[in-house]
Amino acid sequence: MVMTQEDNYMEHGNYEAKPGARDTQNNLNRTLKSRHMSMIAVGGTIGTGLFVASGGVLSEAGPAGALVAYSLMGLIVFFVMTSLAEMSTFIPVAGSFNSFADRFVDPAFGFAVGYNYWYSWITAAATDLVAAGIIMEFWLPNVNTVVWSFALMAIIIFLNLFGAKLYGEAEFWLALIKVLAIVIFIIIGILVASGIVGGTKYGFSNWKIEG
């Protein structure tokens, strides 16, 4: 009987996931470092919706409604990710969360979760490509948005052709840029709302509609 990493961990609790180590069960080479994983996690929480769709949310729900909606969904996602972290720590196996659906629910459910996740990401990737074209159109209106979408798609394909290490490095710096952009947006927003920039003090005046 061959003991897998999962069985070894369950029995002895001595599973070690070191960078550069090879997973003998699934033949995966661990090339991502802690800084890569951290920034991938942080960057993954900042989607294109924050840059493109947040204006529509504010228009429909208002500042207070948007704050409640984002807080509620953030709380739900927090509990989901905490549960996933618990399972990943307890049973550190190679594979996505569909491995846990397969183990704790049913293999058919794990199969369905895997393909649903794949489908959600191919649609999300298409949305990101379109959003990139829309954003670039603001700066360069004479260039067709399709050009930017295809250019970004070519970059994504290129990064994925050379293994996880290059992808992790690129994701680290791109996520860092997104984080810095969010920080700059917050600072500018505070300066504008307080009247330091623009000369008009808005404060919380837009949180209510007269009448």
Side-chain angles (χ1 to χ4, degrees):
M1 178 179 178
V2 179
M3 179 176 289
T4 64
Q5 286 185 338
E6 178 182 331
D7 297 329
N8 185 50
Y9 180 82
M10 295 289 288
E11 182 175 349
H12 303 289
N14 59 354
Y15 178 86
E16 294 183 1
K18 298 180 180 179
R22 181 169 291 277
D23 188 333
T24 56
Q25 180 183 355
N26 293 285
N27 296 322
L28 297 178
N29 191 21
R30 304 178 188 275
T31 57
L32 296 179
K33 299 179 181 179
S34 297
R35 65 183 181 90
H36 296 144
M37 299 300 295
S38 299
M39 291 307 294
I40 288 174
V42 173
T45 62
I46 306 173
T48 54
L50 185 61
F51 298 95
V52 179
S54 57
V57 174
L58 289 170
S59 176
E60 293 290 334
L67 180 61
V68 171
Y70 277 112
S71 300
L72 179 61
M73 291 306 301
L75 184 64
I76 295 173
V77 172
F78 171 77
F79 287 126
V80 171
M81 297 309 297
T82 301
S83 301
L84 181 59
E86 289 281 351
M87 291 186 289
S88 300
T89 304
F90 182 63
I91 306 176
V93 294
S96 186
F97 49 81
N98 60 300
S99 302
F100 303 119
D102 183 290
R103 175 183 174 87
F104 293 109
V105 183
D106 188 82
F109 185 72
F111 176 84
V113 167
Y115 269 98
N116 277 318
Y117 188 60
W118 169 80
Y119 178 75
S120 68
W121 268 110
I122 62 172
T123 55
T127 303
D128 290 342
L129 293 174
V130 173
I134 294 174
I135 293 174
M136 293 303 299
E137 185 182 23
F138 176 81
W139 302 103
L140 299 170
N142 295 327
V143 181
N144 195 305
T145 57
V146 177
V147 175
W148 297 114
S149 298
F150 272 99
L152 182 60
M153 183 174 64
I155 294 174
I156 294 173
I157 294 174
F158 174 80
L159 291 175
N160 282 274
L161 287 177
F162 294 93
K165 187 174 183 179
L166 178 60
Y167 162 77
E169 198 65 35
E171 185 69 20
F172 173 82
W173 292 107
L174 292 175
L176 183 61
I177 292 174
K178 285 201 292 185
V179 172
L180 292 177
I182 294 297
V183 173
I184 292 173
F185 285 170
I186 293 174
I187 294 174
I188 293 176
I190 294 174
L191 294 177
V192 171
S194 61
I196 298 176
V197 175
T200 302
K201 185 177 181 180
Y202 295 98
F204 293 94
S205 61
N206 292 325
W207 283 61
K208 62 180 180 179
I209 300 177
E210 298 296 337

